[in-house]
């Protein structure tokens, strides 16, 4: 429907399917660079700008407000997801949100993470701090041994760069566990 406003008087259904086939998900379509979007048949500059704008607006709308606790933010962001998803929220020294990106999306029981991607996102954002949040579709918000191991690896990768891993939140159903509040983050 949004494509129809950028590409009037044409059936945009095929173009929408080509975008999803090319990028794999709506989230990736909305975060793709305009130049990459324009490479898809049927997508011109106007449609590419509209899609990027929609992605930017969505990112801003999902960012936590200053009064919102980070656990509640990730709970809202990951509500209803059936596959495990991992997000990285980068903040400056004052706690202002600089970026929020999905790092990975996996099967219902695991997700693959690139430490390099975490570090690159933090550096490109100019972050002083990083929050991670992921869900357990199984319905249990307790961090697994794998969650703890990956969290330590991320902490060790960010530490030499003077970037603090502020928290890693695990969400399940209507509950969450903050590793920082639970004393599970190494200091």
């Amino acid at each position: 429907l949004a494509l129809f406003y950028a590409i009037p008087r044409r059936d945009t259904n095929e173009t929408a399917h080509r975008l999803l086939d090319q990028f794999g998900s709506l989230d990736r379509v909305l975060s793709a660079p305009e130049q990459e979007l324009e490479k898809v048949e049927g997508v011109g500059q106007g449609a590419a700008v509209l899609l990027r704008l929609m992605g930017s607006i969505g990112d801003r709308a999902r960012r936590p407000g200053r009064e919102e606790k980070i656990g509640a933010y990730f709970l809202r962001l990951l509500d209803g997801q059936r596959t495990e998803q991992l997000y990285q929220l980068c903040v400056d020294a004052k706690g202002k949100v600089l970026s929020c990106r999905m790092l990975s999306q996996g099967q219902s029981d695991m997700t693959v993470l690139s430490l390099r991607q975490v570090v690159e996102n933090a550096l490109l954002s100019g972050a002083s701090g990083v929050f991670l949040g992921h869900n357990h579709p199984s319905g249990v918000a307790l961090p697994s041994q794998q969650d703890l191991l990956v969290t330590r690896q991320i902490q060790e990768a960010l530490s030499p760069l003077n970037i603090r891993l502020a928290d890693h939140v695990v969400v399940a159903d209507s509950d969450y566990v903050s590793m920082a509040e639970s004393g599970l983050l190494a200091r």
Side-chain angles (χ1 to χ4, degrees):
L1 182 61
L3 285 174
F4 177 76
Y5 291 100
I7 311 169
R9 296 179 299 279
R10 279 191 37 211
D11 181 3
T12 56
N13 191 37
E14 286 183 31
T15 304
H17 284 284
R18 280 194 290 272
L19 284 163
L20 290 172
D21 290 343
Q22 175 71 27
F23 295 100
S25 71
L26 180 59
D27 187 51
R28 289 184 178 148
V29 169
L30 296 177
S31 63
E34 289 173 32
Q35 301 86 341
E36 293 299 312
L37 292 167
E38 289 179 39
K39 291 179 183 177
V40 175
E41 182 185 342
V43 178
Q45 183 181 16
V49 169
L50 176 65
L51 292 170
R52 282 296 297 138
L53 181 61
M54 289 173 56
S56 295
I57 291 169
D59 286 347
R60 283 199 177 269
R62 289 190 306 238
R63 289 181 182 177
R66 292 197 181 268
E67 68 284 345
E68 185 175 21
K69 290 185 117 188
I70 200 68
Y73 167 71
F74 282 122
L75 187 62
R76 183 171 49 92
L77 182 67
L78 292 162
D79 183 41
Q81 298 300 321
R82 291 197 171 110
T83 58
E84 189 166 311
Q85 295 180 356
L86 174 65
Y87 280 86
Q88 177 181 2
L89 185 76
C90 295
V91 297
D92 67 12
K94 294 181 181 179
K96 178 184 171 195
V97 176
L98 301 170
S99 69
C100 182
R101 297 185 186 274
M102 181 190 294
L103 294 176
S104 65
Q105 182 170 356
Q107 302 303 316
S108 62
D109 62 346
M110 71 175 223
T111 187
V112 178
L113 174 64
S114 163
L115 291 176
R116 180 178 177 169
Q117 186 180 11
V118 172
V119 171
E120 283 179 1
N121 287 343
L123 290 173
L124 289 173
S125 296
S128 296
V130 168
F131 291 88
L132 298 174
H134 82 278
N135 61 325
H136 282 176
S138 64
V140 179
L142 294 175
S144 68
Q145 288 301 316
Q146 181 67 21
D147 294 338
L148 296 172
L149 175 66
V150 169
T151 301
R152 283 190 198 101
Q153 290 172 340
I154 292 170
Q155 223 173 2
E156 290 169 6
L158 293 173
S159 182
L161 304 169
N162 292 321
I163 301 172
R164 182 175 68 97
L165 178 61
D167 202 352
H168 186 164
V169 176
V170 181
V171 171
D173 294 332
S174 60
D175 191 20
Y176 69 87
V177 171
S178 159
M179 289 190 193
E181 289 176 9
S182 300
L184 298 172
L185 283 184
R187 294 290 167 193

